[in-house]
Amino acid sequence: MDPTENSQSFNLPDSTRSHREARGLECAQVPIAEVGEAEANATISGAASVGRTLSSLQSAQRASSPPTTMGSIAGAPPAEASHNQAKEVAHPESSPPPPPPPPQDALNRKVVDLVLFLLLKYRRKQLTTRAEILHMVVRDYEAQYPVIFTKASDCMRLMFGLDIIERNPRVHSYSLVYALGITYDGMQHGFPGIPKTGLVIVMLCIIFIKDNCVSEEVLWQILNNMGLYARREHFIYGEPRRLITEHFVQEGYLEYRQVPDSDPPSHEFLWGPRAHAETTKMKVLRFFASVVKQDPRSYPFSHAEALRDEIERT
């Protein structure tokens, strides 16, 4: 079933620009090519749109907890920073005034630079370190490193389904691994060379939150809010309908079936056997809850179902 196309899509960097950025990263003797302001903001908003889409699914939950937004992606200042700023205002003589923060667009460009750098490391199966990131990417923005690293980590998890794991705390070395135990990255599907694990995880979240089964019509209404449309090429996913109904089904992560006795015929999605084998409802619920900034127990019915699933697996 074709989706409606009445919502505005977000636009990630075009493939030509991304190839140019990647080639710039691969040259060890040249600095990372800068990403334009529009592309940087698009990449950040792309990750945020995933968070907003999952947040909107809270209406399907039977819990009464109010929804929250993704503060880390939106760049909301932490409480500690606000407290420190209040102290400086109260005692201006105790310390010199801090330098003005860099423009948000400049920070967004650094976030995109780091995302591109991490994707290159993932393709090469290489570790990276805090020192390498500071030298190759962050450079003059060392004071903003925690913010840049956190936002890039969120982008990697939400858009590409990759978690950044610290391997050696002494030297702060990191590697990228599949999130939630998924073993598929879809690098050969859609736009080649870019992981598709993030969309697999989003699909599993949607299906679980929608009582373990979602109609094709409802699914595309949700995906339209992420800028994904059937039969419209996407920078990362290629033609999304083919990726979802063919590749994800063939890989065993989704089941795509006709609704019994439907006239005219309609279809629905469920978890496939590989999804049940590699991840759990509890892992998916925790991922969903982390995106919407809630405790998994805030969703008592889904949490109870996830606990039953854990018990049945033992």
Side-chain angles (χ1 to χ4, degrees), residues 28-277:
Q29 302 302 320
V30 299
I32 297 173
E34 285 195 2
V35 180
E37 177 180 342
E39 290 89 343
N41 290 331
T43 301
I44 301 302
S45 65
S49 73
V50 177
R52 288 192 299 270
T53 298
L54 293 181
S55 295
S56 69
L57 293 176
Q58 291 183 106
S59 59
Q61 292 290 331
R62 287 160 285 186
S64 58
S65 302
T68 57
T69 56
M70 295 186 58
S72 61
I73 290 291
E80 181 181 354
S82 299
H83 177 69
N84 292 337
Q85 290 171 0
K87 287 171 60 179
E88 291 173 1
V89 171
H91 305 285
E93 71 283 353
S94 61
S95 61
Q104 188 61 48
D105 289 341
L107 287 180
N108 284 349
R109 285 194 292 272
K110 286 297 178 181
V111 172
V112 176
D113 284 346
L114 181 51
V115 167
L116 293 169
F117 179 79
L118 292 172
L119 284 175
L120 179 62
K121 288 293 183 177
Y122 172 76
R123 289 196 294 268
R124 291 178 171 179
K125 306 301 180 185
Q126 294 177 339
L127 296 178
T128 189
T129 65
R130 184 181 187 274
E132 184 179 33
I133 292 171
L134 286 170
H135 174 69
M136 294 291 294
V137 183
V138 177
R139 296 178 178 272
D140 296 333
Y141 292 84
E142 183 172 356
Q144 286 74 38
Y145 173 83
V147 173
I148 295 170
F149 187 83
T150 297
K151 287 191 174 185
S153 299
D154 287 336
C155 286
M156 296 299 294
R157 195 164 203 250
L158 290 172
M159 296 184 72
F160 306 113
L162 300 175
D163 281 333
I164 301 177
I165 303 298
E166 187 172 43
R167 295 300 185 184
N168 187 334
R170 185 176 61 85
V171 297
H172 299 291
S173 62
Y174 305 99
S175 68
L176 290 156
V177 300
Y178 304 112
L180 309 191
I182 302 297
T183 62
Y184 163 83
D185 60 16
M187 299 267 278
Q188 72 277 23
H189 298 145
F191 188 85
I194 298 180
K196 316 300 185 301
T197 314
L199 185 57
V200 171
I201 292 172
V202 168
M203 293 287 297
L204 298 181
C205 283
I206 293 171
I207 293 169
F208 178 54
I209 296 306
K210 292 291 188 179
D211 293 327
N212 301 302
C213 182
V214 62
S215 70
E216 186 171 21
E217 181 179 10
V218 170
L219 174 71
W220 282 109
Q221 290 173 356
I222 295 170
L223 294 181
N224 286 176
N225 293 328
M226 292 171 54
L228 300 181
Y229 301 95
R231 299 183 177 88
R232 179 185 295 183
E233 287 292 316
H234 187 273
F235 159 67
I236 293 177
Y237 307 117
E239 203 284 280
R241 189 176 187 279
R242 182 184 180 192
L243 180 66
I244 291 170
T245 61
E246 294 184 21
H247 297 310
F248 289 179
V249 172
Q250 291 168 1
E251 293 291 337
Y253 287 103
L254 300 178
E255 180 183 348
Y256 180 60
R257 70 184 186 187
Q258 183 173 330
V259 177
D261 302 321
S262 59
D263 186 21
S266 60
H267 293 78
E268 60 189 4
F269 291 90
L270 300 87
W271 280 26
R274 189 171 173 185
H276 286 289

